[in-house]
Every structure is written in structure tokens, then in C-alpha cells.
Amino acid sequence: MIHTILFDLDGTLLNTIDDLADAGNWVCAQNGWPLHTVEEYKYMVGNGIPKLVERFSPPEARTPERLAQTLAQFTARYDAHKEDKTAPYPGIPELLAALRKEGVQTAVFSNKADALCGGILDHYFGPGVFSAVRGSRPGVPTKPDPTGLWELMKQLGAGPDTTLFVGDSNVDIQTGHNAGLPALGVVWGFRGAAELTAAGADALAYRPEEILEYIKQSKRL
């Protein structure tokens, strides 16, 4: 029986890709670098903002010093424009309300910088919707390493036998499995069914309400 769901953020709860791509391309334009399509950015995200910055930077601009400068440039631009085009995926607010009615605890575990996570979730869903929100923190490995996930579960009092991880990429499926959890892949995000299946997703959801059905099924088992 599932009592706790840990959600990925980007590509799972919120469609953030246009704002991420816009900020990345703004940085590229400022530095005279080639721009990238939104589809290309979908495969650059997933491992945290420092890795995203590395991926959109040309090879000659990937020294540690230059990447640190570019990261600061990107972070400032994205933070100022992270709510320009971002929106919840259709059905997500309704899903979260339904999970609350079912008594299911929800939290967020993201590779997005910790300082950016809480504010953007409060903006779109309101305060107090999630029991906890945890992003990437200094000194803690990013997903798919399970260290931060285990720390979040300890904070929530969530056990591995009653917790589900939900995300939209192979990184999320690997994260759940590395933590000893079942991992459900959402098909509406940045990567799609083929990648999620290849990563070994325990189930797929094509619509948010299918997550609720998965939870109800777990209660019947």
C-alpha cells in the first residue's frame, strides 16, 4: 500500500522546458554561442542545472572557471524568468487534491537547485500542498544517487514499502530503484514512454489520474 509519493518536478509536475530553454539560449546569445532547440533542451535537463549549463556550453567554454561564470549567468536569468511560460501539466492540480483526499502524503525531490524549488511550487500550487520539498543541495550528490532521497524519506517518516517515486526520465526511474522504491514513469514529460520503459519503469502513466488508479490498486493488494 502506497502512503507517500515523491514527485520529480520538471517534466512531471510542471512543464518548465520553455523557460529553461529561453534562459539557456539567452546565455548562449550573450556569449555568441550557437542556440539550441527546445527539443534539444529536453535531453539536456534532468541532471541538475550545472550539468545543463555544461551541456549547452560549447566545448571551448567548459573550463571550471568559465562554467562557474556561465552557471551564475544562467541562474540569474532563469530565476528572473522562471514563471514566464511554465505551467502545471493538465490534471496535476486535480491529482494532488485527490491524493490528499486519499490520505496520501506527497513531496518533491528534484535536481533543480533547492533555492528555486519551493518558490516555484508555491506559485503554481499554493503553500502547504507538499509535505516537503527538496532540491539539489551543496555536498549532496544529485539524482540518480539516492542519498538525498533517503534523507527526504527520513524527514517524512516514509518507509520503502509504502513509498512511490514518480518522474519523467530514465534518471528518475534509476533514482527510485537505487533507493529501493518502485518507480512510475509519466509519459507527458520531457522523455517519453520508450526511455522510461527501457529504464525499467514499474508502471507508466499517460494521464495524471492513472497515478491515482495505481495508488488505489496498491491498496487492494
Side-chain angles (χ1 to χ4, degrees):
M1 184 181 299
I2 301 299
H3 296 301
T4 302
I5 299 182
L6 307 178
F7 286 99
D8 169 56
L9 198 166
D10 298 76
T12 301
L13 298 172
L14 294 175
N15 186 355
T16 57
I17 196 65
D18 288 313
D19 285 334
L20 288 165
D22 286 353
N25 278 339
W26 181 86
V27 171
C28 289
Q30 294 299 304
N31 290 285
W33 301 337
L35 306 186
H36 306 279
T37 67
V38 171
E39 287 301 310
E40 288 172 328
Y41 275 104
K42 287 181 179 180
Y43 288 88
M44 295 183 193
V45 299
N47 296 97
I49 288 178
K51 181 59 71 172
L52 167 62
V53 167
E54 179 184 332
R55 287 169 175 162
F56 71 62
S57 298
E60 65 273 14
R62 292 178 183 171
T63 64
E65 296 78 13
R66 187 60 187 271
L67 285 173
Q69 295 170 2
T70 307
L71 176 61
Q73 193 179 23
F74 174 86
T75 300
R77 178 70 180 187
Y78 178 65
D79 192 27
H81 293 273
K82 64 183 181 295
E83 294 157 1
D84 288 359
K85 299 177 181 177
T86 289
Y89 285 100
I92 290 295
E94 293 80 3
L95 169 66
L96 296 174
L99 291 172
R100 284 197 297 274
K101 287 185 178 180
E102 291 288 323
V104 177
Q105 178 176 227
T106 60
V108 174
F109 183 60
S110 174
N111 272 346
K112 186 188 288 292
D114 194 55
L116 296 174
C117 291
I120 197 169
L121 288 166
D122 286 351
H123 177 81
Y124 288 104
F125 299 112
V129 170
F130 300 99
S131 297
V133 175
R134 183 183 176 103
S136 176
R137 298 180 179 181
V140 181
T142 56
K143 298 184 292 184
D145 187 286
T147 302
L149 187 54
W150 283 330
E151 292 176 358
L152 177 59
M153 290 173 63
K154 183 177 180 180
Q155 175 185 343
L156 294 167
D161 295 334
T162 58
T163 301
L164 173 69
F165 195 78
V166 175
D168 71 304
S169 74
N170 60 345
V171 173
D172 295 313
I173 303 305
Q174 293 162 10
T175 301
H177 289 168
N178 288 345
L181 307 179
L184 182 150
V186 302
V187 175
W188 56 79
F190 299 161
R191 300 295 179 82
E195 177 173 303
L196 294 165
T197 300
D202 296 282
L204 297 180
Y206 288 80
R207 295 172 290 113
E209 53 264 38
E210 293 177 6
I211 298 176
L212 183 61
E213 289 302 315
Y214 183 92
I215 297 302
K216 291 180 176 179
Q217 179 65 29
S218 80
K219 292 184 176 182
R220 293 193 286 266
L221 296 177

